[in-house]
Amino acid sequence: MKKAQEQNKPKKYGMVIDLDKCTGCGACMVACMAENNVPFKKDESNKKDSITWMRVYKLTNDEKYPDADICYLPRPCQHCEGQHGHSPCVSVCPATATDYSEETGIVSQIYTRCFGCRYCMAACPYHARYFNWWDPVWPEGMEKMLNPDVSPRMRGIVEKCSFCFHRYQSAMDKAHYEGRRDIEEGEYQTACTQACPAGAITFGDLNNPAHKVHELKKHPDAFRLLERLGTNPKIYYMSNREWVRKAGDNHLMAEKPAKKQH
Amino acid sequence: MKIDRRSFLSLGIGVTAGTTLSPLPWKLTDDLSIWTQMWPWTPVPKDGEVSYVHSVCTLCPGGCGISVRKVADRAVKIEGMDGYPGNDGSACPLGLSGLQLLYGPTAIQSPLKRVGERGAGKWQKISWEAAIAEVAEKIGRLREDGKAHTLGCITDSDCGTVPELFKRFLTAFGSPNFMRTPSCADTYEMTLKLMHGTDASPGFDVENANFVLSFGSGIIEGWGTPGRMFRAHSAWKDKKVKVVQAEPRLSNTAAKAGQWLPISPGTEGILALGLAHVIIKENLYDKNFVDNYSFGFEDWKDSTGKVCKGFKSVVTDRYTPGYVSGITGIDSGDIEALAREFAGASSPLAICGRGQGSVPGSIHEFMAVHALNALMGNLNRAGGVSAVQRADYITWPEPEPDRVAQNSLKNERADGAGSARYPYTKSLLTRLPAAINSAEESPIQALFVANANPCYTLPDTEQVREAFAKIPLIVSFAAHMNETAEMADIILPDLGHLERYEDVPTPFGMNTPMVGLARPVVSPRKGARHVGDALLLLAKQMGGSIAKAFPWTGYEDCLKKTMGKSWTGLTENGFVAKADYKPAGWDAAFATPSKKFQFMSEACGHEGKTGLGAVAAEGDPKAYPLVLIPYDSMRLSGGAVANTPFLTKTVADTVLTGKEAWAEVNPKTGGKLGLAEGVHATLTTPKGSVRVRVHFSNGMMPGMIAMPRGLGHTAPDAYLAGKGINLNALVGPVADPTSGLDAAWGIRANLVIA
């Protein structure tokens, strides 16, 4: 009985990204685009309308030469849990096109329900959501590379990182087919995690002590983005550089960070 | 009925409540989503059985093992191949987006014959028979006219069956002009030739090194095998291995390094000698190695009895930390501390070759850096540099050239490699354009180009195009349209990298000899043929001793017979590696005249002085007060294969906006020039002038301008052509006095607000 309960314990998939290992090469972005049929246009240099579920930001420490430093920060959807699943985007979606899964902790995006109001984009503090302003166009012949596990989107809807949910589904299907109730850590990995040549991304069930992320997230160098907003995201970052950890939170120009009371 | 305020409000409330409770809004929402999405032109990818094909990526010389996921007969995703030597499961963004090349619109569908002006892009489709017959007829006439030696060939590699087939064709035909595209492998191989006496390629045991000193090598920017270097880099982080990066720009490698030394570019070799100075002065070197297994460390007498200065005297006399500091701009205290730290590590590894290593570089600089490894005895052992023997699996009988070919082979090469001036250099492709342009009749009358894009990748692109325009017959074996194929007279389209078989021997930097197998992932497109098959067809058409030199029925037959017993292992595992391989011990490793490691080589006497100076950048400092340095990025492909749409999508908007390229400068330098972030400016070098936008970066050494390689393509690709600037068009080659190889690291430049 107890064992069965253990197995049915809700999962909470998340990532720990080691920013000291991340080299900013962009392999995660490309692997994500290839896996998830992300469209591409002739000009993608306007980053405001360029759809990249995974985007690698370049951070600088603003010091002068030769004390300047660079750090890259990969930003997938943060799969915020908020308080009891009230992630910012889920709360505002009028079409129930995005939902927080209590079973996996994944924030879904159901393309066929979305009608493009873009409330979720306004609500997301991480700019993790993208709107299809145009129909995707693949040059003749190139639609052959489309992955059948992920449906191509169309204009007028919002899309974002799904933690490669289709990979979770197929891993679970395989497990069930083989008579297992659950999957091993290695059986479900996102495309970006798999692709990262530096091994900077660790993906797994944050609730499961057997998974690497369970320990890694407790590392003293671990932090999350904009933690004070209470979005309770499931992407943890790690860096031994203080300026990088500080860059994880942001303050408005006029807003002075409160001084510590002694 | 009178509508008063009360009934109006009630009605309103009633309508609102009714609408909310009715299914109407939900139905409308649903319809809305359906009607905004039912576009028949949105593709629905076909499902099917999933399978994986192991292959090797040949888009760059790195040679990573890849695993391609297929759904029925379609390839849908490329991933790194687990267990492949080196990259072991990882892959770079270019390799990961390789399907966009496979299915992309630039693939050439049939042999083409140029009909318009050269480079105008006007083509006529012809049959393979007609194309082969025409090439055979034209090069046959060269042989008849006693000009067989004017047939040239340019490819990206000189080992493996495909380059060997080309070499064989040229030998049987009667030409010595086989040329490999330049890279730092050229200079490293020459370094090993001069210092080890071996014809080998360098192997770096990056997995076991515990201190890494890089003289500008882009460890995480594509140097060596990218997947392997990335993995090693992360392992260093885990093992707390310190990396020191000497480079004028805060590259990603520099930013990730434990220490960044912003060094005046071109002076890296001098820094290496400065470090050697401290190591020798403080007796920190490996005495066993230096005393017993090296030559030229102490002064020695040559055969005529003349006393020659040894490495020790040269270095201790001149390269004091103070002197080196003055040239390199690195603090002398830092030089001393670094030397001690380097010498204090048990396996300190020093490497060079700037960025991805696409420019060969100065031979003195490479020898100075390699001498650091030698001083620490870190050669042919764990964590060090070893000389890896070249692939030995190709054991074809020597071709038998006929009399015409034998006579013709006696001619000197058109590029000057192997001549009395440059006896140790195998290929000098960067010298070829000038040789053609300065001659009345081009010394190359017919040219084969395969797996290379010299009209884009060679320095001083304008000069290269001018030279190519003077070659009467250019035959391109390109799979995809590129700048060089556009200059061709006949294109014999090769199979793409996921459509063909090919052996991929030990890539640059790997310290274990191996061979991988690239194999067809999908059935090849109809109009194209494997470059090996095209060459066999051509040989058959030529007849005589040329046809006799190629006894195989086709390329696949040739490959299978060449691999012999290894073929089964290759097809089953995707590679064959000598797992138990150990480099030769110090007593057997060196084949120099002294049978020892040579710190000094007679080959370096051309400058008429011992020691070396900094490599100067081309241009007059008065007219060009700044210096332009190219840099390499994993998000841009600067090599023969251009960016895919996915890869271009990852490029930052401070590198490329629309069609405009950005140039990085230090804010201080920019301020002095009256520039501001984002303004337009004119960048001028002795080679040309372009319009750029200015990006301020604190990671730039003042006085420098940096721009990436890999943009500015002109070949027809709607996703890339016309975007940014090809850096190779702005930088000219600077010949190393000893090797003749291109040692340019930048060029003098000016930046003026536009």
Side-chain angles (χ1 to χ4, degrees):
Chain A
M1 177 65 196
K2 201 179 173 199
K3 208 175 171 194
Q5 266 178 348
E6 194 87 316
Q7 278 169 338
N8 288 329
K9 202 175 151 192
K11 284 173 268 203
K12 213 168 98 170
Y13 280 104
M15 274 178 191
V16 181
I17 305 180
D18 188 337
L19 300 182
D20 296 333
K21 282 186 182 165
C22 172
T23 63
C25 73
C28 53
M29 295 169 75
V30 170
C32 171
M33 294 180 216
E35 179 76 28
N36 292 300
N37 301 334
V38 175
F40 50 93
K41 309 187 295 292
K42 283 179 183 153
D43 181 8
E44 290 280 0
S45 62
N46 179 0
K47 299 303 175 190
K48 284 177 189 150
D49 65 31
S50 176
I51 301 178
T52 45
W53 291 11
M54 171 62 112
R55 177 169 292 185
V56 179
Y57 287 93
K58 182 179 179 178
L59 316 179
T60 50
N61 67 346
D62 276 337
E63 297 281 340
K64 293 209 162 58
Y65 173 91
D67 298 316
D69 199 3
I70 299 170
C71 185
Y72 290 92
L73 185 138
R75 195 264 16 238
C77 167
Q78 306 284 309
H79 293 275
C80 307
E81 190 181 358
Q83 301 309 314
H84 314 292
H86 290 289
S87 41
C89 53
V90 170
S91 321
V92 298
C93 179
T96 332
T98 184
D99 196 16
Y100 184 87
S101 159
E102 297 290 350
E103 186 197 326
T104 57
I106 295 173
V107 176
S108 61
Q109 178 72 18
I110 304 155
Y111 312 125
T112 42
R113 280 195 193 158
C114 172
F115 51 74
C117 72
R118 293 183 282 137
Y119 286 1
C120 57
M121 289 175 71
C124 175
Y126 303 105
H127 293 291
R129 295 179 155 272
Y130 295 91
F131 186 62
N132 282 275
W133 289 97
W134 301 276
D135 265 319
V137 180
W138 283 270
E140 204 189 325
M142 229 193 258
E143 71 282 346
K144 277 194 194 145
M145 64 180 282
L146 292 175
N147 179 4
D149 297 337
V150 181
S151 48
R153 282 73 61 187
M154 55 299 288
R155 77 163 179 244
I157 64 149
V158 171
E159 60 182 78
K160 68 158 193 84
C161 155
S162 65
F163 264 177
C164 290
F165 184 69
H166 58 282
R167 287 186 169 210
Y168 174 74
Q169 286 175 311
S170 58
M172 285 300 275
D173 284 353
K174 188 164 173 275
H176 288 155
Y177 182 74
E178 290 167 1
R180 288 177 291 136
R181 298 188 60 144
D182 213 343
I183 50 173
E184 298 293 321
E185 185 176 9
E187 283 184 278
Y188 167 40
Q189 292 288 309
T190 63
C192 53
T193 310
Q194 183 192 29
C196 178
I201 309 177
T202 313
F203 178 79
D205 180 3
L206 297 164
N207 279 347
N208 189 337
H211 285 201
K212 285 194 268 319
V213 286
H214 189 266
E215 272 313 298
L216 278 174
K217 72 172 198 283
K218 297 182 202 155
H219 195 279
D221 286 345
F223 65 97
R224 294 184 288 177
L225 296 183
L226 306 177
E227 245 177 303
R228 67 195 183 112
L229 296 185
T231 50
N232 198 6
K234 285 200 284 296
I235 310 289
Y236 291 77
Y237 294 94
M238 263 166 58
S239 175
N240 59 21
R241 286 170 286 181
E242 201 194 351
W243 74 265
V244 175
R245 295 197 298 272
K246 278 192 173 162
D249 221 328
N250 197 16
H251 298 269
L252 296 172
M253 293 291 269
E255 183 193 25
K256 279 180 191 152
K259 274 184 190 163
K260 266 189 188 165
Q261 301 284 324
H262 288 286
Chain B
M1 181 187 149
K2 194 187 162 203
I3 298 176
D4 59 8
R5 180 181 153 84
R6 173 180 288 246
S7 64
F8 178 79
L9 283 178
S10 322
L11 189 68
I13 291 164
V15 166
T16 311
T19 322
T20 317
L21 292 174
S22 82
L24 188 68
W26 314 113
K27 178 67 185 149
L28 281 176
T29 321
D30 192 37
D31 279 0
L32 196 61
S33 60
I34 289 167
W35 284 106
T36 52
Q37 292 170 24
M38 284 299 174
W39 303 117
W41 54 84
T42 302
V44 179
K46 256 198 190 154
D47 215 339
E49 198 181 338
V50 176
S51 61
Y52 288 85
V53 181
H54 291 327
S55 186
V56 176
C57 177
T58 49
L59 296 181
C60 89
C64 289
I66 53 171
S67 179
V68 185
R69 185 160 86 230
K70 284 180 71 179
V71 172
D73 59 346
R74 302 186 293 122
V76 300
K77 177 88 189 294
I78 297 178
E79 281 148 14
M81 174 180 157
D82 289 330
Y84 194 84
N87 72 301
D88 189 11
S90 63
C92 79
L94 175 66
L96 290 173
S97 60
L99 294 178
Q100 293 195 311
L101 280 169
L102 174 68
Y103 293 130
T106 57
I108 303 165
Q109 302 295 342
S110 129
L112 298 175
K113 185 183 171 175
R114 175 169 69 85
V115 286
E117 284 285 302
R118 178 162 270 171
K122 287 201 177 124
W123 303 97
Q124 181 195 343
K125 283 188 182 176
I126 53 171
S127 70
W128 270 93
E129 291 70 32
I132 294 284
E134 184 164 346
V135 175
E137 198 251 345
K138 282 189 173 156
I139 59 173
R141 219 177 296 149
L142 285 181
R143 256 167 74 88
E144 282 162 22
D145 295 350
K147 290 185 191 166
H149 60 283
T150 62
L151 173 66
C153 170
I154 300 174
T155 81
D156 63 335
S157 164
D158 65 351
C159 50
T161 51
V162 170
E164 289 294 346
L165 283 174
F166 272 111
K167 279 191 211 167
R168 196 174 180 82
F169 188 93
L170 259 61
T171 307
F173 186 85
S175 169
N177 284 310
F178 175 88
M179 287 164 275
R180 180 174 84 169
T181 46
S183 76
C184 75
D186 294 324
T187 317
Y188 254 121
E189 284 168 16
M190 188 169 160
T191 303
L192 293 178
K193 183 83 196 155
L194 299 181
M195 299 177 102
H196 291 228
T198 51
D199 192 13
S201 62
F204 305 94
D205 190 5
V206 292
E207 286 80 7
N208 293 305
N210 59 14
F211 187 95
V212 181
L213 172 56
S214 152
F215 291 85
S217 300
I219 294 170
I220 48 170
E221 272 130 337
W223 186 91
T225 297
R228 177 189 183 212
M229 295 309 293
F230 276 86
R231 288 170 47 79
H233 185 263
S234 287
W236 295 337
K237 293 266 171 209
D238 288 335
K239 291 187 283 187
K240 310 258 183 275
V241 170
K242 186 170 175 181
V243 179
V244 179
Q245 178 78 354
E247 195 177 357
R249 173 178 173 270
L250 183 70
S251 64
N252 292 350
T253 306
K256 291 286 162 199
Q259 190 183 357
W260 170 39
L261 295 175
I263 186 170
S264 290
T267 69
E268 286 86 346
I270 292 173
L271 175 64
L273 294 179
L275 296 169
H277 176 101
V278 180
I279 291 170
I280 294 170
K281 273 265 162 142
E282 300 188 3
N283 273 316
L284 302 173
Y285 57 92
D286 183 331
K287 283 183 196 62
N288 174 30
F289 178 79
V290 171
D291 293 348
N292 301 317
Y293 301 98
S294 83
F295 173 82
F297 185 73
E298 304 286 350
D299 298 355
W300 81 96
K301 273 185 194 166
D302 68 5
S303 51
T304 60
K306 201 179 93 191
V307 177
C308 301
K309 269 190 158 189
F311 183 72
K312 185 176 161 186
S313 320
V314 171
V315 166
T316 46
D317 287 357
R318 189 161 161 202
Y319 297 95
T320 60
Y323 171 78
V324 171
S325 173
I327 295 175
T328 60
I330 310 281
D331 180 72
S332 56
D334 285 351
I335 295 173
E336 285 173 32
L338 175 58
R340 286 178 203 130
E341 217 177 337
F342 181 80
S346 57
S347 299
L349 179 66
I351 57 171
C352 59
R354 286 179 191 79
Q356 296 182 346
S358 55
V359 175
S362 145
I363 182 73
H364 280 166
E365 179 185 313
F366 278 57
M367 287 174 75
V369 171
H370 195 53
L372 283 178
N373 293 312
L375 277 179
M376 302 319 302
N378 205 16
L379 301 180
N380 284 26
R381 65 170 206 197
V385 186
S386 55
V388 182
Q389 299 305 319
R390 294 167 66 86
D392 54 2
Y393 58 85
I394 299 175
T395 49
W396 304 334
E398 286 296 315
E400 288 166 20
D402 58 9
R403 181 147 335 143
V404 178
Q406 278 173 26
N407 284 333
S408 192
L409 280 168
K410 288 176 193 149
N411 285 289
E412 287 235 325
R413 288 171 59 100
D415 62 359
S419 63
R421 179 71 184 85
Y422 302 116
Y424 298 99
T425 318
K426 287 185 190 163
S427 281
L428 281 173
L429 187 51
T430 43
R431 291 185 85 246
L432 185 68
I436 293 176
N437 290 336
S438 62
E440 205 152 288
E441 189 188 86
S442 168
I444 294 293
Q445 288 288 307
L447 181 67
F448 292 169
V449 185
N451 297 324
N453 186 7
C455 288
Y456 176 82
T457 59
L458 286 187
D460 200 352
T461 326
E462 196 45 50
Q463 184 188 235
V464 178
R465 288 176 64 87
E466 197 184 310
F468 271 56
K470 286 178 76 177
I471 301 173
L473 175 72
I474 298 174
V475 182
S476 164
F477 295 86
H480 298 269
M481 206 44 147
N482 64 30
E483 285 78 2
T484 310
E486 282 191 323
M487 292 291 284
D489 298 274
I490 289 194
I491 302 178
L492 301 174
D494 189 6
L495 301 179
H497 77 302
L498 298 170
E499 297 175 314
R500 68 163 177 235
Y501 276 112
E502 194 169 343
D503 50 320
V504 183
T506 326
F508 169 80
M510 276 296 285
N511 47 333
T512 317
M514 59 166 292
V515 54
L517 180 68
R519 66 181 121 194
V521 171
V522 295
S523 40
R525 59 192 192 282
K526 285 206 179 73
R529 285 196 187 168
H530 194 289
V531 56
D533 282 322
L535 211 53
L536 291 182
L537 283 176
L538 193 56
K540 198 171 276 175
Q541 183 87 17
M542 299 295 296
S545 59
I546 302 178
K548 249 179 90 185
F550 296 88
W552 307 284
T553 55
Y555 176 74
E556 231 178 288
D557 175 47
C558 164
L559 184 63
K560 276 182 197 162
K561 284 186 177 145
T562 306
M563 300 318 300
K565 282 181 193 158
S566 313
W567 182 253
T568 325
L570 266 185
T571 44
E572 276 169 16
N573 303 325
F575 66 92
V576 179
K578 294 181 182 167
D580 54 349
Y581 171 82
K582 273 212 170 77
W586 290 341
D587 42 6
F590 308 112
T592 53
S594 60
K595 300 285 174 225
K596 289 177 174 181
F597 176 85
Q598 294 213 176
F599 275 100
M600 305 294 274
S601 171
E602 285 172 27
C604 304
H606 274 292
E607 284 156 299
K609 58 177 183 196
T610 47
L612 86 162
V615 180
E618 182 185 353
D620 175 17
K622 276 188 197 134
Y624 302 100
L626 305 171
V627 172
L628 171 69
I629 48 171
Y631 72 89
D632 292 321
S633 157
M634 285 308 294
R635 301 191 193 181
L636 285 168
S637 169
V641 173
N643 261 34
T644 56
F646 276 162
L647 195 54
T648 309
K649 200 172 166 179
T650 68
V651 175
D653 54 1
T654 49
V655 173
L656 179 75
T657 353
K659 301 214 158 182
E660 290 179 324
W662 295 63
E664 272 180 39
V665 289
N666 186 292
K668 231 181 183 174
T669 312
K672 268 189 210 155
L673 298 165
L675 303 169
E677 175 72 22
V679 299
H680 287 91
T682 307
L683 172 67
T684 313
T685 74
K687 296 293 170 201
S689 187
V690 290
R691 186 179 153 92
V692 295
R693 289 185 74 179
V694 174
H695 175 52
F696 282 174
S697 162
N698 284 317
M700 283 299 299
M701 179 180 272
M704 303 269 161
I705 309 164
M707 288 187 76
R709 288 197 184 92
L711 288 169
H713 278 276
T714 52
D717 172 1
Y719 295 83
L720 191 61
K723 291 184 180 180
I725 288 146
N726 180 7
L727 257 271
N728 300 316
L730 294 176
V731 183
V734 173
D736 179 84
T738 303
S739 67
L741 292 163
D742 180 18
W745 47 263
I747 192 162
R748 299 215 66 96
N750 202 0
L751 192 62
V752 179
I753 194 156

